Amino acid sequence: MGVAVLIKQVPDTTSKVSVAGDRVDESSVSKWSISPYDEYALECAMRLKESGYSEVVAITCGPQRSSKALTEAAAVGADSLIHVHVEDSLDSIQVQTLLSAAIKRTGSEIVLCGKQAADTNSGSTGPGIASILDYSCVGVVSEVSVDDGVLVATRQGPSGLEEIEVSAPCLFTFDKGESELRRPNVRGIMMAKKKTVEALTPGDLGVDLGESAVIVNSHSSPPDKPPGQKFEGVSSIATVVQKLRDEANVI
Amino acid sequence: MMRNMAYEALDFYDIDSMLSEEERMVRDMVRDWVEDRVIPNIEEACRDGVFPDDWRKEIGEMGILGAPLKGYGCPGLSYIAYGLICQELERGDSGVRSFASVQGSLAMYPIHDFGSEEQKEYYLPKMASGEWVGCFGLTEPDYGSNPGDMITRAEDKGDHFLLNGAKMWITNGTIADLAVVWAKLDGEIKGFIVEKGDEGFSAPEMKGKHSLKASVTSELVFQDCKIPKNRILPDVKGLRGPFSCLNNARYGISWGAVGAAQSCFNSAKEYSLSRIQFGHPIASFQLIQNKLSWMLREITKGQLLAYHMGKKKDDGTWIPEQISLAKMNNVDMALEIARMSRDIHGANGILDEYPVMRHMANLESVKTYEGTHDIHNLILGRHITGIQSFTREP
Ligand SMILES: Cc1cc2nc3c(=O)[nH]c(=O)nc-3n(C[C@H](O)[C@H](O)[C@H](O)COP(=O)(O)OP(=O)(O)OC[C@H]3O[C@@H](n4cnc5c(N)ncnc54)[C@H](O)[C@@H]3O)c2cc1C
């Protein structure tokens, strides 16, 4: 059985994001990367494969540029690649519907993804898909392994690490784990070139997106951080203590 | 992983758009590695005067050693990709690029092009993976720019060769598992493979460098050093052997220098935008802007030179003199940019908090090795006039 890993291409966390007019200006983003939590999911998928779990299919939904994220996944070992190609921005349910249809097409009963994307941070994709596909869902895990055919997920519980046993079909959303995504190597990059990206439209998947239920009015930059304040001398101690208590809430 | 700010490499003429996806991916892989592993640790490596062994392993794992070589476990990338690898490594530190240049162009390349089938199969896979480190012994204490008069000799003793002599300034020497050594056999220069542990061979490290501190530099000493007969490189004789290795390494340096210059430019740009003097960011003063625009101009020209040279290497339509020009020009511009960037940083420019002083000191070595700046001028002078001026002898 194959493992499906869902990856989203987002502005790299170190890139500056700017707003032009009332929309995020995508052309100002200097670097696009696989969303960091998805990287943990991808690494886990590669480990599952190494422990004998047949092949890994990487799936993304997004505009043309996001196909690069699939090639990057291929460079670290993803076997097949599916790009659900949409240029418009979609709402969460539309994305979940498309990805669910793509997963169904692959027949994968183990699905891994990040707990939230680094750009929208909405955290709805994983649970939404699990609900559409009627899969179990284990959220915010740091690791998934297989033990005698049983899936074991590790997650941070209120009083320590929890281990959860679950059977397929199941979807896991990933938090930061111990294992960072492996670095690609030249051999992987050369192999990635040979793997074809299967590009699918919503129509190919038999999905009618309909109207988006969400209308974004505008984007704006967060307000500038207020400048740092400087205090000198013994006489300022009282003010500093008061500010630390009332404004910074640290004491 | 979280970093402070994305590194935006200067690419004013959009060289990026001319690269293949594979070339871009290789570049990004090396860039990320340098960002994660070299930049946070380079100052410590320099202070300790070591090339961290982890770097050897990780560079090997990335599979970039001997980048343009094909077969025998070598990557088989384009010369453009090889150039990009050098650029990214040297943006971190010239010492790291030196490690890779010596391994790939100076040690693997001669085995690949001039070695026997047996030698290629035995050495190249281990060198491509970084398991074995190689070095290149040409320079001697008394023969630098003029290696043709080298003293190191090999004698055919029937069932083995006997090597005598000494090499100096040998990058990777002490950490190397094998050395490609150029020595005279019956008056003619030939290449030999000497392995660590061979009888009569030692490689003491040279200490006290103010430049390339994170690169190992050594002497190679041969005292009746006995090596088996199958360690001679069968397919080359004369200076053509070492010089063809140098052509490849020099080509890589022309890209590497761009990387060091990009690093110095970035640091100068950021610093000048944040440093306030006379009530304004120093970047708002015309003299500073003039310096920054000069840097931009020179780096852009250097990039185009390196890129075009790479295309010619990939097409096989190059002549060595073109590589001389690229190496000489780009190292020269990088060194000037490092100095100018140091100046823009004021006193801060001498601190190890910024990369500029380290690049500046490194580039002094890069200016000298692989043919000094002026030796390349003489190569070009000979090309233009048809008259060699290296020596007064006819
Ligand atoms: C850090 C470092 C690493 C190195 N790694 C290696 C290595 O791995 N393997 C290796 O074999 N070598 C290596 N070298 C040696 C390097 O290649 C030599 O230093 C270089 O070739 C110059 O030789 P030299 O130092 O003897 O200088 P010299 O040849 O003595 O030159 C001194 C000066 O005289 C000038 N000069 C010389 N001849 C002429 C002439 N005919 N006309 C006009 N000017 C002239 C030169 O341009 C230079 O300015 C390394 C050097 C350094 C610094």
Side-chain angles (χ1 to χ4, degrees):
Chain A
M1 195 186 349
V3 175
V5 54
L6 309 180
I7 56 183
K8 182 177 185 185
Q9 192 191 45
V10 298
D12 192 84
T13 49
T14 61
S15 276
K16 266 191 256 135
V17 175
S18 57
V19 175
D22 58 2
R23 283 289 179 275
V24 165
D25 177 16
E26 289 211 345
S27 67
S28 73
V29 174
S30 60
K31 188 178 177 192
W32 293 89
S33 302
I34 298 177
S35 183
Y37 295 118
D38 299 352
E39 287 192 350
Y40 290 101
L42 178 57
E43 176 59 28
C44 180
M46 297 320 304
R47 284 166 189 247
L48 285 174
K49 180 178 150 186
E50 279 157 6
S51 67
Y53 238 86
S54 83
E55 62 151 41
V56 170
V57 51
I59 307 175
T60 195
C61 172
Q64 194 53 51
R65 61 164 161 72
S66 40
S67 147
K68 181 166 166 273
L70 293 176
T71 317
E72 284 165 11
V76 293
D79 302 285
S80 51
L81 314 168
I82 296 180
H83 180 188
V84 183
H85 186 180
V86 276
E87 288 296 329
D88 302 330
S89 68
L90 304 178
D91 68 30
S92 304
I93 295 195
Q94 290 173 316
V95 171
Q96 292 158 20
T97 310
L98 287 172
L99 288 173
S100 298
I103 294 165
K104 223 184 243 165
R105 190 181 160 101
T106 67
S108 295
E109 296 203 331
I110 300 174
V111 182
L112 313 179
C113 64
K115 66 169 182 172
Q116 66 199 63
D119 53 355
T120 51
N121 284 313
S122 75
S124 57
T125 305
I129 290 171
S131 127
I132 292 173
L133 292 175
D134 202 16
Y135 283 16
S136 314
C137 181
V138 185
V140 203
V141 304
S142 54
E143 202 191 318
V144 174
S145 56
V146 214
D147 192 9
D148 237 356
V150 183
L151 294 160
V152 184
T154 310
R155 66 198 296 273
Q156 185 72 45
S159 54
L161 288 182
E162 270 175 15
E163 278 201 354
I164 295 171
E165 279 188 14
V166 61
S167 51
C170 186
L171 181 145
F172 301 90
T173 75
F174 273 74
D175 198 356
K176 192 171 166 13
E178 290 291 306
S179 320
E180 301 241 335
L181 180 60
R182 61 197 60 193
R183 204 172 279 122
N185 58 34
V186 166
R187 198 164 304 132
I189 290 173
M190 287 179 142
M191 301 258 285
K193 209 175 50 173
K194 298 199 187 94
K195 294 176 188 160
T196 47
V197 176
E198 187 183 1
L200 300 172
T201 60
D204 294 336
L205 289 165
V207 173
D208 176 11
L209 285 176
E211 285 292 300
S212 171
V214 176
I215 296 160
V216 176
N217 289 332
S218 69
H219 292 144
S220 59
S221 299
D224 282 341
K225 273 204 210 122
Q229 301 175 40
K230 201 167 163 185
F231 302 96
E232 274 172 44
V234 188
S235 59
S236 62
I237 290 179
T239 327
V240 172
V241 168
Q242 181 251 323
K243 280 181 178 289
L244 287 175
R245 184 181 298 130
D246 301 338
E247 289 180 22
N249 295 321
V250 291
I251 52 173
Chain B
M1 77 225 70
M2 297 292 177
R3 284 175 244 121
N4 293 336
M5 212 190 294
Y7 168 61
E8 285 178 36
L10 179 65
D11 185 16
F12 194 54
Y13 273 22
D14 202 10
I15 303 270
D16 202 75
S17 65
M18 299 194 275
L19 306 175
S20 70
E21 179 163 33
E22 177 178 295
E23 287 161 352
R24 262 197 297 267
M25 286 177 82
V26 170
R27 192 261 327 266
D28 290 347
M29 167 183 77
V30 180
R31 182 175 287 177
D32 288 347
W33 179 77
V34 165
E35 195 111 319
D36 293 343
R37 303 287 295 134
V38 176
I39 292 174
N41 300 308
I42 183 65
E43 290 303 340
E44 189 186 334
C46 285
R47 256 193 309 274
D48 298 347
V50 294
F51 180 80
D53 197 47
D54 286 349
W55 292 357
R56 168 187 67 79
K57 289 201 200 98
E58 291 163 12
I59 291 176
E61 280 162 12
M62 282 191 282
I64 55 177
L65 291 167
L69 305 179
K70 294 191 171 59
Y72 309 98
C74 301
L77 291 167
S78 65
Y79 271 95
I80 295 283
Y82 171 51
L84 290 162
I85 291 167
C86 290
Q87 172 188 291
E88 295 308 317
L89 293 177
E90 195 146 0
R91 175 222 161 192
D93 190 79
S94 305
V96 184
R97 199 268 308 133
S98 298
F99 172 85
S101 290
V102 168
Q103 176 83 349
S105 292
L106 300 184
M108 291 170 71
Y109 169 81
I111 296 173
H112 187 275
D113 272 38
F114 311 129
S116 66
E117 196 52 35
E118 185 196 353
Q119 289 166 345
K120 293 184 215 190
E121 277 168 17
Y122 181 67
Y123 293 108
L124 291 176
K126 292 197 268 233
M127 296 176 79
S129 69
E131 185 193 340
W132 274 33
V133 173
C135 68
F136 172 89
L138 178 65
T139 306
E140 299 188 354
D142 293 329
Y143 297 94
S145 299
N146 174 26
D149 285 344
M150 67 175 63
I151 299 174
T152 304
R153 295 272 180 286
E155 273 175 273
D156 189 340
K157 291 289 189 185
D159 64 343
H160 64 271
F161 290 112
L162 207 58
L163 291 181
N164 274 292
K167 299 288 177 181
M168 210 175 173
W169 298 109
I170 308 307
T171 303
N172 294 352
T174 312
I175 58 170
D177 299 282
L178 71 115
V180 172
V181 177
W182 302 94
K184 281 187 177 161
L185 177 67
D186 300 325
E188 196 167 50
I189 295 174
K190 291 288 290 178
F192 299 87
I193 301 170
V194 179
E195 288 184 17
K196 188 181 208 149
D198 279 340
E199 194 183 319
F201 170 50
S202 59
E205 190 169 349
M206 297 171 65
K207 293 284 189 187
K209 302 201 301 292
H210 275 305
S211 167
L212 287 186
K213 286 172 164 231
S215 168
V216 173
T217 313
S218 315
E219 287 174 64
L220 305 182
V221 183
F222 310 96
Q223 269 177 322
D224 287 334
C225 169
K226 212 172 142 179
I227 57 166
K229 287 296 272 280
N230 63 2
R231 299 269 202 79
I232 190 167
L233 296 177
D235 295 337
V236 74
K237 58 177 190 233
L239 279 174
R240 186 175 82 82
F243 283 2
S244 45
C245 302
L246 293 172
N247 274 326
N248 265 352
R250 288 167 181 172
Y251 160 72
I253 291 173
S254 72
W255 283 86
V258 169
Q262 284 170 319
S263 167
C264 293
F265 171 81
N266 268 36
S267 194
K269 178 179 131 186
E270 277 168 28
Y271 188 84
S272 63
L273 284 166
S274 64
R275 175 70 177 167
I276 313 283
Q277 285 295 287
F278 299 97
H280 301 278
I282 59 171
S284 68
F285 300 131
Q286 291 179 355
L287 283 173
I288 300 283
Q289 290 193 1
N290 188 39
K291 289 184 174 124
L292 292 173
S293 78
W294 186 83
M295 291 183 188
L296 176 97
R297 181 176 111 192
E298 289 304 317
I299 293 173
T300 301
K301 289 192 285 186
Q303 281 175 303
L304 293 172
L305 200 57
Y307 176 80
H308 190 68
M309 198 62 241
K311 281 287 165 209
K312 293 192 79 60
K313 285 287 282 176
D314 279 325
D315 296 346
T317 56
W318 55 281
I319 56 169
E321 286 82 357
Q322 292 165 337
I323 294 183
S324 283
L325 184 133
K327 188 266 180 184
M328 169 179 83
N329 180 78
N330 285 9
V331 176
D332 202 33
M333 75 83 183
L335 188 51
E336 261 330 292
I337 283 170
R339 289 172 180 153
M340 209 175 253
S341 174
R342 213 289 306 145
D343 171 33
I344 290 175
H345 286 74
N348 276 316
I350 71 163
L351 291 179
D352 66 8
E353 220 173 288
Y354 300 92
V356 289
M357 187 85 177
R358 179 168 45 79
H359 281 307
M360 184 177 112
N362 283 342
L363 288 162
E364 292 289 352
S365 285
V366 182
K367 182 176 181 174
T368 288
Y369 69 27
E370 302 276 348
T372 69
H373 182 84
D374 278 337
I375 288 298
H376 290 297
N377 270 324
L378 301 188
I379 290 171
L380 291 171
R382 180 183 57 192
H383 178 72
I384 299 163
T385 63
I387 307 166
Q388 74 78 22
S389 65
F390 297 97
T391 165
R392 292 194 192 83
E393 277 37 90

